[in-house]
């Protein structure tokens, strides 16, 4: 049993912190900006709710965070009453936020200055993956800190990998999002074309999903896309935040991402249709408008 804090009890963080308590059997203290959520978590899982990230992090062996973006992450770490005010020397800070590689390196340096370790550890698998404790976790940081954190992270994960030094976890998550962007657009175009051609989409997918065109998105999203339902998981606003991070990194490293850049603009059009909170498969709605 380890002494653990979890900062950020959103759609992802709430169940992830729950797995640390129930499945991992750890001593968990939580912090959430909107305190009602932290109190609800403490009532449900029996842990302690702290008033600030600094209070939550004090005396812990492992401190987790899962907040929105780079600035949110800075606010709960190096900001006023942030976790880095109190983090213990030797503690490991594990960040599950999808953020930039730049902020990961910056916070790795800030944690090191306190004698602590920072691991960027963005996740893939969505709300269902968090609730079922089967996330994929892509880590960047030191091997020694990773080896200590890995068994703790495994409480909410099916796959945990160390990808390289600080920032490598975020870079891997960027590749994940690049691969998804073009794929979902292809799936949307296929379904759109099938409908125009007068084919039975269920029948089409039943057959082609067993061949070379098959994908997780096809298996898990075709039914809801065909029904025009877009409230299943990862929101367009989050995807645009992620693609913004990806395209900024590509400008730095010189990678050419023409399809990713185009799909990002398509998501901007989905937002203009009112789809900010629709899930990422709503690229089909744009074709059918
Ligand atoms: N949802 C998914 O399917 C999914 C999948 C993979 C990765 N992710 C990534 O995981 C992260 C969290 O996603 P989510 O869906 O859990 O988001 P969410 O439900 O909106 O939760 C965000 C959490 O961050 C807290 N927060 C935001 N800004 C803050 C600040 N400045 N100071 C303190 N706390 C702050 C929020 O507190 P309040 O409760 O006070 O608002 C909330 O607890 C994001 O980086 C997202 O891209 C999400």
């Amino acid at each position: 049993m380890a002494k653990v804090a979890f900062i950020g009890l959103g759609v992802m963080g709430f169940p992830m912190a729950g797995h640390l308590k129930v499945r991992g059997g750890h001593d968990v203290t939580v912090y959430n900006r909107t305190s009602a959520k932290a109190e609800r978590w403490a009532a449900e899982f029996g842990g302690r709710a702290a008033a600030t990230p600094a209070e939550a992090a004090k005396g812990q062996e492992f401190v987790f965070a899962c907040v929105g973006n780079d600035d949110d992450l800075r606010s709960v770490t190096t900001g006023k009453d942030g976790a880095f005010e109190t983090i213990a020397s030797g503690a490991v800070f594990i960040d599950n936020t999808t953020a930039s590689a730049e902020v990961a390196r910056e916070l790795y340096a800030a944690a090191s200055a306190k004698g602590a370790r920072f691991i960027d550890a963005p996740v893939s698998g969505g709300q269902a993956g968090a609730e079922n404790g089967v996330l994929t976790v892509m880590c960047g940081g030191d091997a020694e800190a990773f080896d200590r954190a890995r068994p703790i992270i495994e409480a909410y994960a099916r796959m945990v990998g160390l990808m390289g030094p600080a920032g490598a976890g975020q870079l891997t998550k960027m590749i994940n999002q690049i691969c998804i962007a073009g794929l979902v657009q292809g799936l949307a175009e296929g379904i759109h074309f099938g409908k125009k051609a007068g084919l039975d989409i269920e029948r089409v997918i039943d057959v082609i999903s067993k061949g070379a065109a098959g994908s997780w998105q096809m298996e898990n999203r075709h039914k809801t896309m065909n029904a025009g339902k877009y409230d299943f998981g990862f929101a367009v606003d989050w995807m645009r935040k992620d693609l913004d991070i990806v395209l900024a990194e590509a400008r730095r490293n010189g990678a050419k991402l023409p399809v990713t850049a185009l799909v990002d603009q398509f998501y901007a059009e989905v937002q203009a249709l009112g789809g900010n909170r629709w899930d990422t498969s709503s690229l089909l709605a744009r074709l059918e408008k």
Side-chain angles (χ1 to χ4, degrees):
M1 182 166 115
K3 281 179 66 56
V4 170
F6 203 106
I7 297 167
L9 303 173
V11 167
M12 301 296 283
F14 195 99
M16 289 161 79
H19 288 305
L20 287 169
K21 179 87 175 85
V22 175
R23 216 188 254 180
H26 302 300
D27 176 3
V28 183
T29 299
V30 294
Y31 164 79
N32 197 69
R33 179 179 58 183
T34 307
S35 59
K37 260 191 232 172
E39 281 149 25
R40 186 159 62 82
W41 188 95
E44 192 171 327
F45 294 103
R48 192 172 69 87
T52 63
E55 187 188 316
K58 197 170 179 183
Q60 310 290 355
E61 296 165 87
F62 299 92
V63 182
F64 288 79
C66 189
V67 292
N69 59 27
D70 284 21
D71 285 342
D72 301 331
L73 183 58
R74 287 191 181 99
S75 155
V76 300
T77 51
T78 52
K80 186 177 176 302
D81 294 327
F84 285 14
E85 279 184 9
T86 54
I87 196 160
S89 175
V92 185
F93 191 100
I94 300 125
D95 174 38
N96 297 126
T97 310
T98 302
S100 67
E102 221 175 343
V103 77
R105 292 182 200 115
E106 173 189 317
L107 294 179
Y108 173 89
S112 298
K114 303 260 172 191
R117 292 287 165 261
F118 181 91
I119 296 176
D120 48 301
V123 302
S124 168
Q127 183 174 352
E131 286 170 356
N132 297 322
V134 292
L135 292 168
T136 294
V137 190
M138 303 150 243
C139 300
D142 297 343
E144 178 274 331
F146 174 78
D147 289 343
R148 275 195 286 145
R150 183 189 192 124
I152 317 291
I153 296 172
E154 278 171 346
Y156 58 76
R158 179 163 56 193
M159 168 64 83
V160 188
L162 179 63
M163 313 313 298
Q170 295 296 354
L171 292 170
T172 304
K173 172 76 183 187
M174 290 177 214
I175 297 168
N176 189 77
Q177 302 307 68
I178 292 166
C179 294
I180 286 176
L183 195 148
V184 176
Q185 176 63 16
L187 179 59
E189 290 184 17
I191 292 174
H192 177 60
F193 179 92
K195 284 180 166 181
K196 289 281 185 198
L199 294 183
D200 176 346
I201 298 299
E202 285 297 320
R203 179 95 192 90
V204 169
I205 300 289
D206 197 36
V207 171
I208 69 169
S209 62
K210 310 298 181 299
S215 67
W216 185 97
Q217 297 287 342
M218 184 180 278
E219 290 279 353
N220 291 282
R221 291 288 179 265
H222 80 273
K223 272 199 174 65
T224 45
M225 288 171 82
N226 193 28
K229 291 183 180 156
Y230 301 118
D231 50 358
F232 295 87
F234 197 59
V236 166
D237 277 355
W238 279 139
M239 187 60 162
R240 287 220 71 209
K241 184 249 314 174
D242 292 3
L243 294 180
D244 192 47
I245 292 169
V246 166
L247 295 171
E249 187 66 36
R251 280 191 290 278
R252 268 191 292 274
N253 72 14
K256 298 184 189 78
L257 305 178
V259 172
T260 307
L262 192 59
V263 173
D264 180 49
Q265 290 312 301
F266 293 165
Y267 278 124
E269 289 177 31
V270 173
Q271 288 174 316
L273 290 175
N276 299 62
R277 301 302 298 175
W278 294 350
D279 72 64
T280 44
S281 71
S282 58
L283 286 171
L284 179 58
R286 182 189 149 268
L287 298 174
E288 293 187 335
K289 74 171 189 290

